[in-house]
Amino acid sequence: MGASHGWVLTSKYGPYLSDDLNPGVSESDFSGIVLPDFETLPHCQTELVTNVAMSSSSPDDEDCILAVKFVGPQLSLCRPAEKNKKWVNIRIEDPAFFNSRVMYTKRDKKFAMPAYGGTHIGYWDLGENLEKPKLCRKGLYTPQLLQSEWEELDLCCTVEELVESRSTQEMFMIKRFRKRNNNKGGRMEEHQIWVFKQGLNRCNPLQWCYTNDIGDLCIFLSKSEPFCLKASSHQKCQNSIYFIDKSERGIFTLGGKCKTSNFSNFTAPYFIPPQSYLNANRSSNPSNSP
């Protein structure tokens, strides 16, 4: 159903959280957590999942919260370490979030999702923003393009994702453009990736502005929760985005706006953070309790 920090959520025999993708766990130390059955809210479904996210790199942490975003209106939260685990189910009223991907921002200590088109961001937690999310409207300063380039992008499917740089306390919004290649059997391919960052406009620091320079950072996008690393510390290409899905894996260089990728059948399209990242994010200590 999804993965976060190396932990995988499955539901074949009921919701189950296992650490079989965690790079710091040996086979002899394999562990898992049985979760309560999902509760489906009226006019919602709990079979198709957009993605999952965790507030800490270990669900054994007392304060860790697991978020499951289902396709449609339902968002469900649970504390895996609690003895009497239960789901706190939220029905999202705004249809712009029905297909959004959830992430956890350590800076704001909340779960966040971008609305379709990136017009606004919603924040949820187990406290004051449980039933009524905090909404932040934002304008996007897009790059200047020729009319022909806009027409090319109009043929693409788009998706927005949020990712936080824990080392620099920066938040980025990623806008991905995917296009069908009819010359290759109609497969979907990554066509363009835009990055937006807050604070570039001095007159309006809350605005999100397009940038092709994220410095010594690299971003990882997959079916797992996205994450950001300092490139020079992990022998990765700086100012780049690494991406993987079920059929394509590659690197998009922001400065040169170029892509290098290969195509195959990737049965586990997940990027897992290195152990140093997981150790540094063991507990985010969310201040709100259910």
Side-chain angles (χ1 to χ4, degrees), residues 29 41 79 82 107 119 131 135 185 187 230 244 273 275:
D29 294 329
L41 295 176
R79 292 187 186 272
E82 281 190 342
R107 183 188 66 183
T119 56
E131 297 296 336
L135 296 178
R187 70 186 182 193
K230 186 176 181 180
I244 185 173
Q275 192 62 42

Side-chain angles (χ1 to χ4, degrees), residues 40-51 68-76 90-102 113-114 124:
T40 306
L41 295 176
H43 309 293
C44 297
Q45 63 83 34
T46 53
E47 296 293 329
L48 297 177
V49 172
T50 304
N51 77 311
V68 182
K69 174 62 179 68
F70 298 97
V71 176
Q74 184 165 329
L75 172 68
S76 296
I90 304 167
R91 179 181 172 84
I92 301 170
E93 299 299 330
D94 188 346
F97 292 109
F98 285 2
N99 291 302
S100 298
R101 291 173 58 85
V102 66
M113 285 188 285
W124 288 263

